[in-house]
Coordinates of all heavy atoms in Angstrom, one line a residue:
M129 N 139.0 -58.3 -87.1 CA 138.7 -58.6 -85.7 C 137.2 -59.0 -85.6 O 136.3 -58.2 -85.9 CB 139.0 -57.3 -84.9 CG 138.9 -57.4 -83.5 SD 139.3 -55.9 -82.6 CE 141.0 -55.5 -83.2
S130 N 137.0 -60.2 -85.1 CA 135.6 -60.6 -84.9 C 134.9 -59.7 -83.9 O 135.6 -59.1 -83.0 CB 135.6 -62.0 -84.4 OG 134.3 -62.4 -84.0
Y131 N 133.7 -59.5 -84.0 CA 132.9 -58.9 -82.9 C 132.5 -59.9 -81.9 O 132.5 -61.1 -82.1 CB 131.6 -58.2 -83.5 CG 131.9 -56.8 -84.0 CD1 132.9 -56.5 -84.8 CD2 131.1 -55.8 -83.5 CE1 133.1 -55.2 -85.2 CE2 131.3 -54.5 -83.9 CZ 132.3 -54.2 -84.8 OH 132.6 -52.9 -85.2
I132 N 132.3 -59.4 -80.7 CA 131.8 -60.2 -79.6 C 130.6 -59.5 -79.0 O 130.5 -58.3 -78.9 CB 132.9 -60.5 -78.5 CG1 132.4 -61.5 -77.5 CG2 133.4 -59.1 -77.9 CD1 133.5 -61.9 -76.6
I133 N 129.6 -60.2 -78.5 CA 128.4 -59.7 -77.9 C 128.6 -59.6 -76.4 O 128.9 -60.7 -75.8 CB 127.2 -60.4 -78.3 CG1 126.9 -60.2 -79.8 CG2 126.0 -60.0 -77.4 CD1 125.8 -61.1 -80.3
H134 N 128.5 -58.5 -75.8 CA 128.7 -58.3 -74.3 C 127.5 -58.6 -73.6 O 126.4 -58.8 -74.1 CB 129.2 -56.9 -74.0 CG 130.7 -56.6 -74.5 ND1 131.3 -55.5 -74.2 CD2 131.5 -57.4 -75.2 CE1 132.6 -55.5 -74.7 NE2 132.7 -56.7 -75.3
E135 N 127.6 -58.7 -72.2 CA 126.5 -59.1 -71.4 C 125.3 -58.2 -71.3 O 124.3 -58.6 -70.8 CB 127.0 -59.5 -70.0 CG 127.6 -58.3 -69.3 CD 128.3 -58.6 -68.0 OE1 128.6 -59.8 -67.8 OE2 128.6 -57.7 -67.2
E136 N 125.5 -57.0 -71.9 CA 124.3 -56.1 -72.0 C 123.2 -56.7 -72.9 O 122.0 -56.2 -72.8 CB 124.7 -54.7 -72.6 CG 125.7 -53.9 -71.7 CD 127.1 -54.2 -72.2 OE1 127.4 -55.3 -72.6 OE2 127.9 -53.3 -72.0
C137 N 123.5 -57.6 -73.7 CA 122.6 -58.2 -74.6 C 121.3 -58.6 -73.9 O 121.3 -59.3 -72.9 CB 123.2 -59.4 -75.3 SG 122.1 -60.4 -76.3
I138 N 120.1 -58.2 -74.5 CA 118.8 -58.5 -74.0 C 118.1 -59.6 -74.8 O 116.9 -59.9 -74.7 CB 117.9 -57.3 -73.9 CG1 117.8 -56.6 -75.2 CG2 118.5 -56.3 -72.8 CD1 116.8 -55.5 -75.3
S139 N 118.9 -60.3 -75.7 CA 118.4 -61.4 -76.5 C 117.2 -61.0 -77.3 O 116.2 -61.8 -77.4 CB 118.1 -62.6 -75.6 OG 119.3 -63.1 -75.1
C140 N 117.2 -59.8 -77.9 CA 116.0 -59.4 -78.7 C 116.0 -60.1 -80.0 O 115.0 -60.2 -80.7 CB 116.1 -57.9 -78.8 SG 117.4 -57.3 -79.9
G141 N 117.2 -60.6 -80.5 CA 117.2 -61.3 -81.8 C 117.4 -60.4 -83.0 O 117.4 -60.9 -84.1
A142 N 117.4 -59.1 -82.8 CA 117.4 -58.2 -84.0 C 118.7 -58.3 -84.8 O 118.6 -58.2 -86.0 CB 117.3 -56.7 -83.5
C143 N 119.8 -58.7 -84.2 CA 121.0 -58.8 -85.0 C 121.1 -60.0 -85.8 O 121.8 -60.0 -86.9 CB 122.2 -58.7 -84.0 SG 122.2 -60.0 -82.8
E144 N 120.6 -61.1 -85.4 CA 120.8 -62.4 -86.1 C 120.5 -62.4 -87.6 O 121.3 -62.8 -88.4 CB 120.0 -63.5 -85.4 CG 120.3 -64.9 -86.0 CD 119.5 -66.0 -85.3 OE1 118.8 -65.7 -84.3 OE2 119.6 -67.1 -85.7
P145 N 119.3 -61.9 -88.0 CA 119.0 -61.9 -89.4 C 119.8 -60.9 -90.2 O 119.8 -60.9 -91.5 CB 117.5 -61.7 -89.5 CG 117.2 -60.9 -88.2 CD 118.1 -61.5 -87.2
E146 N 120.4 -59.9 -89.5 CA 121.1 -58.8 -90.2 C 122.6 -59.3 -90.6 O 123.2 -58.6 -91.4 CB 121.2 -57.6 -89.3 CG 119.9 -56.9 -89.0 CD 119.3 -56.3 -90.3 OE1 120.1 -55.8 -91.1 OE2 118.1 -56.3 -90.4
C147 N 123.1 -60.3 -90.0 CA 124.5 -60.7 -90.2 C 124.6 -61.4 -91.6 O 123.9 -62.4 -91.9 CB 125.0 -61.7 -89.2 SG 126.7 -62.2 -89.5
P148 N 125.4 -60.8 -92.5 CA 125.6 -61.4 -93.8 C 126.3 -62.7 -93.9 O 126.3 -63.4 -94.9 CB 126.4 -60.3 -94.6 CG 127.2 -59.6 -93.5 CD 126.3 -59.6 -92.3
N149 N 126.9 -63.1 -92.7 CA 127.7 -64.3 -92.7 C 127.1 -65.4 -91.8 O 127.8 -66.4 -91.5 CB 129.1 -64.0 -92.2 CG 129.8 -63.1 -93.1 OD1 129.5 -62.9 -94.3 ND2 130.9 -62.4 -92.6
Q150 N 125.9 -65.2 -91.3 CA 125.3 -66.2 -90.4 C 126.2 -66.5 -89.3 O 126.4 -67.7 -88.9 CB 124.9 -67.5 -91.1 CG 123.7 -67.3 -92.1 CD 124.0 -66.8 -93.4 OE1 125.0 -67.2 -94.0 NE2 123.3 -65.8 -93.9
A151 N 126.8 -65.5 -88.7 CA 127.7 -65.7 -87.6 C 127.1 -65.6 -86.2 O 127.7 -65.9 -85.2 CB 128.8 -64.6 -87.7
I152 N 125.8 -65.2 -86.2 CA 125.2 -64.9 -84.9 C 124.1 -65.9 -84.6 O 123.3 -66.3 -85.4 CB 124.5 -63.5 -84.9 CG1 125.6 -62.4 -85.2 CG2 123.9 -63.2 -83.5 CD1 125.0 -61.0 -85.4
R153 N 124.1 -66.4 -83.3 CA 123.1 -67.4 -82.9 C 122.7 -67.1 -81.5 O 123.5 -66.5 -80.7 CB 123.6 -68.8 -83.1 CG 124.7 -69.2 -82.3 CD 125.2 -70.6 -82.6 NE 126.5 -70.9 -82.0 CZ 126.6 -71.3 -80.7 NH1 125.6 -71.4 -79.9 NH2 127.8 -71.5 -80.2
E154 N 121.6 -67.7 -81.1 CA 121.2 -67.5 -79.7 C 121.9 -68.4 -78.8 O 122.1 -69.6 -79.1 CB 119.7 -67.8 -79.6 CG 119.0 -67.5 -78.3 CD 117.5 -67.7 -78.3 OE1 117.0 -68.2 -79.3 OE2 116.9 -67.3 -77.3
G155 N 122.5 -67.9 -77.7 CA 123.2 -68.7 -76.7 C 122.3 -69.0 -75.5 O 121.1 -68.7 -75.6
E156 N 122.9 -69.6 -74.5 CA 122.0 -69.9 -73.3 C 121.5 -68.7 -72.6 O 120.4 -68.7 -72.1 CB 122.9 -70.8 -72.4 CG 123.0 -72.2 -72.8 CD 123.7 -73.1 -71.8 OE1 123.7 -72.7 -70.6 OE2 124.2 -74.1 -72.2
T157 N 122.3 -67.6 -72.5 CA 121.9 -66.4 -71.8 C 121.8 -65.2 -72.7 O 121.0 -64.4 -72.6 CB 122.8 -66.1 -70.6 OG1 124.1 -66.1 -71.0 CG2 122.6 -67.2 -69.6
I158 N 122.8 -65.1 -73.6 CA 122.9 -64.0 -74.6 C 123.2 -64.5 -75.9 O 123.5 -65.7 -76.1 CB 123.9 -62.9 -74.2 CG1 125.3 -63.6 -74.2 CG2 123.6 -62.3 -72.8 CD1 126.5 -62.6 -73.9
Y159 N 123.1 -63.7 -77.0 CA 123.4 -64.1 -78.3 C 124.9 -64.2 -78.4 O 125.7 -63.5 -77.7 CB 122.8 -63.1 -79.3 CG 121.4 -63.5 -79.7 CD1 120.4 -63.6 -78.7 CD2 121.0 -63.9 -81.0 CE1 119.1 -64.0 -79.0 CE2 119.7 -64.2 -81.3 CZ 118.8 -64.3 -80.4 OH 117.5 -64.7 -80.7
I160 N 125.4 -65.0 -79.4 CA 126.8 -65.3 -79.5 C 127.2 -65.1 -81.0 O 126.5 -65.4 -81.9 CB 127.0 -66.8 -79.1 CG1 126.7 -67.0 -77.7 CG2 128.5 -67.2 -79.4 CD1 126.6 -68.5 -77.3
I161 N 128.5 -64.7 -81.2 CA 129.1 -64.5 -82.5 C 130.2 -65.5 -82.7 O 131.0 -65.7 -81.8 CB 129.6 -63.1 -82.7 CG1 128.5 -62.1 -82.7 CG2 130.4 -63.0 -84.0 CD1 128.9 -60.6 -82.8
D162 N 130.1 -66.2 -83.8 CA 131.2 -67.2 -84.2 C 132.3 -66.5 -84.8 O 132.2 -65.9 -85.9 CB 130.6 -68.2 -85.2 CG 131.6 -69.3 -85.6 OD1 132.8 -69.1 -85.2 OD2 131.2 -70.2 -86.4
P163 N 133.5 -66.4 -84.2 CA 134.6 -65.7 -84.7 C 135.1 -66.2 -86.1 O 135.8 -65.5 -86.8 CB 135.7 -65.7 -83.6 CG 135.3 -66.9 -82.8 CD 133.8 -67.0 -82.9
E164 N 134.8 -67.5 -86.4 CA 135.2 -68.0 -87.6 C 134.3 -67.5 -88.8 O 134.7 -67.7 -90.0 CB 135.1 -69.6 -87.6 CG 136.0 -70.2 -86.6 CD 137.5 -70.0 -87.0 OE1 137.8 -70.1 -88.2 OE2 138.3 -69.7 -86.1
R165 N 133.2 -66.9 -88.5 CA 132.3 -66.4 -89.5 C 132.2 -64.8 -89.5 O 131.8 -64.3 -90.5 CB 130.9 -67.0 -89.4 CG 130.9 -68.5 -89.5 CD 129.5 -69.0 -89.5 NE 128.8 -68.7 -90.8 CZ 128.9 -69.5 -91.9 NH1 129.5 -70.7 -91.8 NH2 128.3 -69.2 -93.0
C166 N 132.5 -64.2 -88.4 CA 132.4 -62.7 -88.4 C 133.6 -62.1 -89.1 O 134.7 -62.3 -88.7 CB 132.3 -62.2 -86.9 SG 132.4 -60.4 -86.9
A167 N 133.3 -61.3 -90.1 CA 134.3 -60.6 -90.9 C 134.1 -59.1 -90.7 O 134.5 -58.3 -91.6 CB 134.2 -61.0 -92.3
E168 N 133.6 -58.6 -89.6 CA 133.3 -57.2 -89.4 C 132.4 -56.6 -90.5 O 132.5 -55.4 -90.7 CB 134.6 -56.4 -89.3 CG 135.3 -56.4 -87.9 CD 136.5 -55.5 -87.9 OE1 136.4 -54.3 -88.4 OE2 137.5 -55.9 -87.5
C169 N 131.7 -57.5 -91.2 CA 130.9 -57.1 -92.3 C 131.7 -56.6 -93.5 O 131.1 -56.1 -94.5 CB 129.9 -56.0 -91.9 SG 128.4 -56.7 -91.0
V170 N 133.0 -56.8 -93.5 CA 133.8 -56.5 -94.7 C 133.3 -57.4 -95.8 O 133.0 -58.6 -95.6 CB 135.3 -56.8 -94.4 CG1 136.1 -56.9 -95.6 CG2 135.9 -55.7 -93.5
G171 N 133.2 -56.8 -97.0 CA 132.7 -57.6 -98.1 C 131.2 -57.4 -98.3 O 130.7 -57.6 -99.4
S172 N 130.5 -57.0 -97.3 CA 129.0 -56.9 -97.4 C 128.4 -55.5 -97.1 O 127.5 -55.0 -97.7 CB 128.3 -57.9 -96.4 OG 128.7 -59.2 -96.6
H173 N 129.0 -54.9 -96.0 CA 128.4 -53.6 -95.6 C 129.6 -52.7 -95.2 O 130.7 -53.1 -94.9 CB 127.5 -53.8 -94.4 CG 126.3 -54.6 -94.6 ND1 125.3 -54.2 -95.4 CD2 126.0 -55.9 -94.2 CE1 124.3 -55.2 -95.5 NE2 124.8 -56.2 -94.8
R174 N 129.3 -51.4 -95.2 CA 130.4 -50.4 -94.8 C 130.6 -50.4 -93.3 O 131.7 -49.9 -92.9 CB 129.9 -49.0 -95.3 CG 130.0 -48.9 -96.8 CD 129.5 -47.5 -97.2 NE 129.2 -47.5 -98.7 CZ 130.1 -47.2 -99.6 NH1 131.3 -46.9 -99.2 NH2 129.8 -47.2 -100.9
S175 N 129.7 -50.8 -92.5 CA 129.9 -50.9 -91.1 C 129.2 -52.1 -90.5 O 128.5 -52.8 -91.2 CB 129.4 -49.6 -90.4 OG 128.0 -49.4 -90.8
S176 N 129.4 -52.4 -89.3 CA 129.0 -53.6 -88.7 C 127.5 -53.6 -88.4 O 127.0 -52.8 -87.6 CB 129.7 -53.9 -87.4 OG 131.1 -54.0 -87.7
R177 N 126.7 -54.4 -89.1 CA 125.3 -54.4 -89.0 C 124.8 -54.8 -87.6 O 123.8 -54.2 -87.1 CB 124.7 -55.4 -90.0 CG 124.7 -54.9 -91.4 CD 123.9 -53.7 -91.7 NE 122.5 -53.9 -91.5 CZ 121.7 -52.9 -91.1 NH1 122.1 -51.7 -90.8 NH2 120.4 -53.2 -90.9
C178 N 125.4 -55.7 -87.0 CA 124.9 -56.1 -85.6 C 125.0 -55.0 -84.7 O 124.1 -54.7 -83.9 CB 125.7 -57.3 -85.1 SG 127.5 -57.1 -85.0
S179 N 126.1 -54.2 -84.8 CA 126.3 -53.1 -83.9 C 125.3 -52.0 -84.2 O 124.7 -51.3 -83.3 CB 127.7 -52.5 -84.1 OG 128.0 -51.5 -83.3
E180 N 125.0 -51.8 -85.5 CA 124.0 -50.8 -85.9 C 122.6 -51.0 -85.4 O 121.9 -50.1 -85.0 CB 124.0 -50.6 -87.4 CG 125.2 -50.0 -88.0 CD 125.1 -49.9 -89.5 OE1 124.2 -50.5 -90.1 OE2 126.0 -49.3 -90.1
V181 N 122.2 -52.3 -85.5 CA 120.8 -52.6 -85.1 C 120.6 -52.9 -83.6 O 119.4 -52.9 -83.2 CB 120.2 -53.8 -85.9 CG1 120.3 -53.5 -87.4 CG2 120.9 -55.1 -85.6
C182 N 121.6 -53.1 -82.9 CA 121.5 -53.5 -81.5 C 121.0 -52.3 -80.6 O 121.5 -51.2 -80.6 CB 122.8 -53.9 -80.9 SG 122.7 -54.4 -79.2
P183 N 119.9 -52.5 -79.9 CA 119.3 -51.4 -79.1 C 120.1 -51.1 -77.8 O 119.9 -50.0 -77.2 CB 117.9 -51.9 -78.8 CG 118.0 -53.4 -78.8 CD 119.0 -53.7 -79.8
V184 N 121.0 -52.0 -77.4 CA 121.7 -51.7 -76.2 C 123.3 -51.7 -76.4 O 124.0 -51.8 -75.4 CB 121.4 -52.8 -75.1 CG1 119.9 -52.7 -74.7 CG2 121.7 -54.2 -75.6
D185 N 123.7 -51.6 -77.6 CA 125.1 -51.4 -77.9 C 126.0 -52.6 -77.3 O 127.0 -52.4 -76.7 CB 125.7 -50.1 -77.4 CG 127.0 -49.7 -78.0 OD1 127.3 -50.2 -79.1 OD2 127.8 -49.0 -77.3
A186 N 125.5 -53.8 -77.6 CA 126.2 -55.0 -77.0 C 127.3 -55.5 -77.8 O 128.3 -56.1 -77.3 CB 125.1 -56.1 -76.7
P187 N 127.2 -55.5 -79.2 CA 128.4 -56.0 -80.0 C 129.5 -55.1 -80.0 O 129.3 -53.9 -80.3 CB 127.8 -56.2 -81.4 CG 126.3 -56.1 -81.2 CD 126.1 -55.1 -80.0
H188 N 130.7 -55.6 -79.8 CA 131.9 -54.7 -79.9 C 133.1 -55.6 -80.5 O 133.0 -56.8 -80.4 CB 132.4 -54.3 -78.5 CG 131.4 -53.3 -77.9 ND1 131.4 -52.0 -78.1 CD2 130.4 -53.5 -77.0 CE1 130.4 -51.4 -77.4 NE2 129.8 -52.3 -76.8
P189 N 134.1 -54.9 -81.1 CA 135.2 -55.7 -81.6 C 135.9 -56.4 -80.5 O 136.0 -55.9 -79.4 CB 136.1 -54.6 -82.2 CG 135.2 -53.4 -82.4 CD 134.2 -53.5 -81.4
D190 N 136.3 -57.7 -80.8 CA 136.9 -58.5 -79.8 C 138.5 -58.5 -80.0 O 139.0 -59.1 -81.0 CB 136.4 -59.9 -80.0 CG 136.9 -60.9 -78.9 OD1 137.8 -60.5 -78.1 OD2 136.4 -62.0 -78.8
P191 N 139.2 -57.9 -79.1 CA 140.6 -57.8 -79.3 C 141.4 -59.1 -79.3 O 142.5 -59.2 -79.6 CB 141.1 -56.9 -78.1 CG 140.0 -56.9 -77.1 CD 138.7 -57.2 -77.9
D192 N 140.7 -60.2 -78.9 CA 141.3 -61.5 -78.9 C 141.4 -62.0 -80.3 O 142.1 -63.1 -80.6 CB 140.5 -62.5 -78.1 CG 140.6 -62.3 -76.6 OD1 141.6 -61.6 -76.2 OD2 139.8 -62.9 -75.8
Y193 N 140.8 -61.4 -81.3 CA 140.9 -61.8 -82.7 C 141.4 -60.7 -83.6 O 140.6 -60.2 -84.5 CB 139.5 -62.3 -83.2 CG 139.0 -63.6 -82.5 CD1 138.2 -63.5 -81.3 CD2 139.4 -64.8 -82.9 CE1 137.8 -64.6 -80.6 CE2 139.0 -66.0 -82.2 CZ 138.2 -65.9 -81.1 OH 137.9 -67.0 -80.5
P194 N 142.6 -60.3 -83.5 CA 143.2 -59.3 -84.4 C 143.3 -59.8 -85.8 O 143.8 -60.8 -86.0 CB 144.5 -59.0 -83.7 CG 144.9 -60.2 -83.0 CD 143.6 -60.8 -82.5
E195 N 142.7 -59.0 -86.7 CA 142.8 -59.4 -88.2 C 142.9 -58.1 -89.0 O 142.3 -57.1 -88.7 CB 141.5 -60.2 -88.6 CG 141.4 -61.5 -88.0 CD 140.0 -62.1 -88.1 OE1 139.1 -61.5 -87.5 OE2 139.8 -63.1 -88.7
T196 N 143.7 -58.2 -90.1 CA 143.7 -57.1 -91.0 C 142.5 -57.1 -91.9 O 141.8 -58.1 -92.0 CB 144.9 -57.2 -91.9 OG1 144.8 -58.4 -92.7 CG2 146.2 -57.3 -91.1
R197 N 142.2 -56.0 -92.6 CA 141.1 -56.0 -93.5 C 141.2 -57.0 -94.6 O 140.3 -57.6 -95.1 CB 140.9 -54.5 -94.1 CG 140.3 -53.6 -93.0 CD 139.9 -52.3 -93.6 NE 138.6 -52.3 -94.3 CZ 137.4 -52.3 -93.7 NH1 137.3 -52.3 -92.4 NH2 136.3 -52.3 -94.4
E198 N 142.5 -57.2 -95.0 CA 142.7 -58.2 -96.1 C 142.3 -59.6 -95.5 O 141.7 -60.4 -96.2 CB 144.2 -58.2 -96.5 CG 144.5 -59.2 -97.6 CD 143.7 -59.0 -98.8 OE1 143.3 -57.9 -99.2 OE2 143.3 -60.1 -99.5
Q199 N 142.7 -59.9 -94.3 CA 142.3 -61.2 -93.7 C 140.8 -61.3 -93.5 O 140.2 -62.4 -93.8 CB 143.0 -61.4 -92.3 CG 144.5 -61.6 -92.4 CD 145.2 -61.6 -91.0 OE1 144.9 -60.8 -90.2 NE2 146.0 -62.5 -90.8
L200 N 140.2 -60.2 -93.2 CA 138.7 -60.2 -93.1 C 138.1 -60.5 -94.5 O 137.1 -61.2 -94.6 CB 138.2 -58.9 -92.5 CG 138.6 -58.7 -91.0 CD1 138.3 -57.2 -90.6 CD2 137.8 -59.6 -90.1
L201 N 138.6 -59.9 -95.5 CA 138.1 -60.1 -96.8 C 138.3 -61.5 -97.3 O 137.4 -62.2 -97.9 CB 138.8 -59.1 -97.8 CG 138.3 -59.2 -99.3 CD1 136.8 -58.9 -99.3 CD2 139.1 -58.3 -100.2
Q202 N 139.5 -62.1 -96.9 CA 139.7 -63.5 -97.2 C 138.7 -64.4 -96.5 O 138.2 -65.4 -97.1 CB 141.1 -63.9 -96.8 CG 142.2 -63.4 -97.7 CD 143.6 -63.7 -97.2 OE1 143.8 -64.4 -96.2 NE2 144.6 -63.1 -97.9
K203 N 138.3 -64.0 -95.3 CA 137.3 -64.8 -94.5 C 136.0 -64.7 -95.3 O 135.3 -65.7 -95.5 CB 137.2 -64.3 -93.1 CG 136.3 -65.1 -92.2 CD 136.1 -64.4 -90.9 CE 137.3 -64.4 -90.0 NZ 137.0 -63.9 -88.6
W204 N 135.6 -63.5 -95.7 CA 134.4 -63.3 -96.5 C 134.4 -64.2 -97.7 O 133.4 -64.8 -98.1 CB 134.2 -61.8 -96.8 CG 132.9 -61.5 -97.5 CD1 131.7 -61.2 -96.9 CD2 132.7 -61.6 -98.9 NE1 130.8 -61.1 -97.9 CE2 131.3 -61.3 -99.1 CE3 133.4 -62.0 -100.0 CZ2 130.7 -61.3 -100.4 CZ3 132.8 -62.0 -101.3 CH2 131.5 -61.7 -101.5
R205 N 135.5 -64.2 -98.4 CA 135.6 -65.0 -99.7 C 135.4 -66.5 -99.4 O 134.8 -67.2 -100.2 CB 136.9 -64.7 -100.4 CG 137.0 -63.4 -101.0 CD 138.3 -63.3 -101.9 NE 138.5 -61.9 -102.4 CZ 137.9 -61.4 -103.4 NH1 136.9 -62.0 -104.1 NH2 138.2 -60.1 -103.8
R206 N 136.0 -67.0 -98.3 CA 135.8 -68.4 -97.9 C 134.3 -68.7 -97.7 O 133.8 -69.7 -98.0 CB 136.5 -68.7 -96.6 CG 138.0 -69.0 -96.8 CD 138.5 -69.8 -95.7 NE 138.3 -69.2 -94.3 CZ 139.0 -68.3 -93.8 NH1 140.0 -67.8 -94.4 NH2 138.7 -67.8 -92.6
L207 N 133.6 -67.7 -97.1 CA 132.2 -67.9 -96.8 C 131.2 -67.7 -98.0 O 130.1 -68.2 -98.0 CB 131.7 -67.0 -95.6 CG 132.4 -67.2 -94.3 CD1 132.2 -66.0 -93.4 CD2 131.9 -68.5 -93.7
H208 N 131.7 -67.0 -99.0 CA 130.9 -66.6 -100.1 C 131.7 -66.9 -101.4 O 132.0 -66.0 -102.2 CB 130.5 -65.1 -100.1 CG 129.8 -64.7 -98.9 ND1 128.5 -64.7 -98.7 CD2 130.3 -64.2 -97.7 CE1 128.1 -64.3 -97.5 NE2 129.2 -64.0 -96.8
P209 N 132.0 -68.2 -101.7 CA 132.9 -68.6 -102.8 C 132.4 -68.2 -104.1 O 133.3 -68.0 -105.0 CB 133.0 -70.1 -102.6 CG 131.8 -70.5 -101.9 CD 131.5 -69.4 -100.9
N210 N 131.1 -68.0 -104.4 CA 130.7 -67.7 -105.7 C 130.2 -66.3 -105.9 O 129.4 -66.0 -106.8 CB 129.5 -68.7 -106.1 CG 130.0 -70.1 -106.1 OD1 131.1 -70.4 -106.6 ND2 129.3 -71.0 -105.5
E211 N 130.6 -65.4 -104.9 CA 130.1 -64.0 -105.0 C 131.3 -63.1 -105.0 O 132.4 -63.5 -104.8 CB 129.3 -63.7 -103.7 CG 128.0 -64.6 -103.6 CD 127.3 -64.3 -102.2 OE1 127.3 -63.2 -101.8 OE2 126.9 -65.3 -101.6
E212 N 131.0 -61.8 -105.4 CA 132.0 -60.8 -105.4 C 131.6 -59.8 -104.2 O 130.5 -59.6 -104.0 CB 132.0 -60.0 -106.7 CG 132.7 -60.8 -107.8 CD 134.1 -61.2 -107.5 OE1 134.9 -60.3 -107.0 OE2 134.5 -62.3 -107.8
P213 N 132.6 -59.3 -103.5 CA 132.4 -58.4 -102.4 C 131.7 -57.1 -102.9 O 132.0 -56.7 -104.1 CB 133.7 -58.2 -101.8 CG 134.7 -58.5 -102.8 CD 134.1 -59.6 -103.7
V214 N 130.9 -56.5 -102.1 CA 130.3 -55.2 -102.5 C 131.3 -54.1 -102.5 O 132.1 -53.9 -101.5 CB 129.2 -54.9 -101.5 CG1 128.5 -53.5 -101.8 CG2 128.1 -56.0 -101.4
P215 N 131.4 -53.4 -103.6 CA 132.4 -52.3 -103.7 C 132.2 -51.3 -102.6 O 131.1 -51.0 -102.1 CB 132.1 -51.6 -105.1 CG 131.4 -52.7 -105.9 CD 130.6 -53.5 -104.9
G216 N 133.3 -50.9 -102.0 CA 133.3 -49.9 -101.0 C 133.2 -50.5 -99.6 O 133.1 -49.7 -98.6
T217 N 133.2 -51.8 -99.5 CA 133.0 -52.4 -98.2 C 134.3 -53.2 -97.7 O 134.3 -53.8 -96.7 CB 131.9 -53.5 -98.2 OG1 132.2 -54.6 -99.1 CG2 130.6 -52.8 -98.7
Y218 N 135.4 -53.0 -98.5 CA 136.6 -53.7 -98.1 C 137.8 -52.9 -98.4 O 137.7 -51.8 -99.0 CB 136.7 -55.0 -98.8 CG 136.6 -55.0 -100.3 CD1 137.8 -55.0 -101.0 CD2 135.4 -55.0 -100.9 CE1 137.7 -55.0 -102.4 CE2 135.3 -54.9 -102.3 CZ 136.5 -54.9 -103.1 OH 136.4 -54.9 -104.4
Ligands
SF4_1798 S1 130.1 -57.5 -87.5 FE1 128.9 -58.1 -89.3 S2 129.8 -60.2 -89.9 FE2 130.3 -59.8 -87.7 S3 128.7 -60.7 -86.5 FE3 128.2 -58.5 -86.8 S4 126.8 -58.5 -88.6 FE4 127.9 -60.5 -88.6
SF4_1799 S1 120.6 -56.9 -81.2 FE1 121.8 -56.6 -79.4 S2 120.4 -57.1 -77.7 FE2 119.5 -58.0 -79.5 S3 120.3 -60.1 -79.6 FE3 121.7 -58.9 -80.8 S4 123.3 -58.3 -79.4 FE4 121.6 -59.0 -78.2

């Protein structure tokens, strides 16, 4: 399930460099997550980095993008074709 950034976002930019999939970018009013790139940090971290670093708890799972962990891992593999996922993250 991709994460989505809610309107509480204060555009501090802290999450952008933390995303292992380059899924986050600055939008017109708040930061935005690309659901084609967000894999809930499966394959890279044990929990969602954007959610951990956000000072206002703006990123949350987006129910519009239901995905199994296997599907999230497949997404990670598409984005990192020459890498192996970090053990314990999938
Ligand atoms: S949950 Fe992980 S992969 Fe998804 S946007 Fe946040 S940091 Fe990036
Ligand atoms: S860390 Fe939180 S407040 Fe800062 S840009 Fe990301 S979502 Fe917005």
Side-chain angles (χ1 to χ4, degrees):
M129 185 178 303
S130 172
Y131 269 54
I132 187 171
I133 294 175
H134 288 186
E135 60 188 16
E136 295 92 331
C137 173
I138 55 172
S139 294
C140 71
C143 57
E144 185 180 354
E146 295 292 327
C147 178
N149 298 341
Q150 288 82 49
I152 304 173
R153 63 182 168 83
E154 190 173 6
E156 282 189 21
T157 55
I158 60 174
Y159 274 59
I160 297 169
I161 292 174
D162 178 356
E164 295 298 318
R165 301 188 71 90
C166 175
E168 273 185 51
C169 283
V170 164
S172 302
H173 300 288
R174 291 176 193 271
S175 55
S176 297
R177 286 298 294 152
C178 56
S179 182
E180 286 176 355
V181 302
C182 181
V184 294
D185 194 27
H188 293 276
D190 186 350
D192 284 347
Y193 293 94
E195 291 163 298
T196 64
R197 288 189 76 77
E198 183 56 37
Q199 288 173 318
L200 292 169
L201 183 59
Q202 286 173 7
K203 190 187 289 187
W204 184 91
R205 288 190 188 282
R206 278 201 309 275
L207 295 167
H208 305 271
N210 300 315
E211 298 175 38
E212 286 300 317
V214 177
T217 67
Y218 57 96

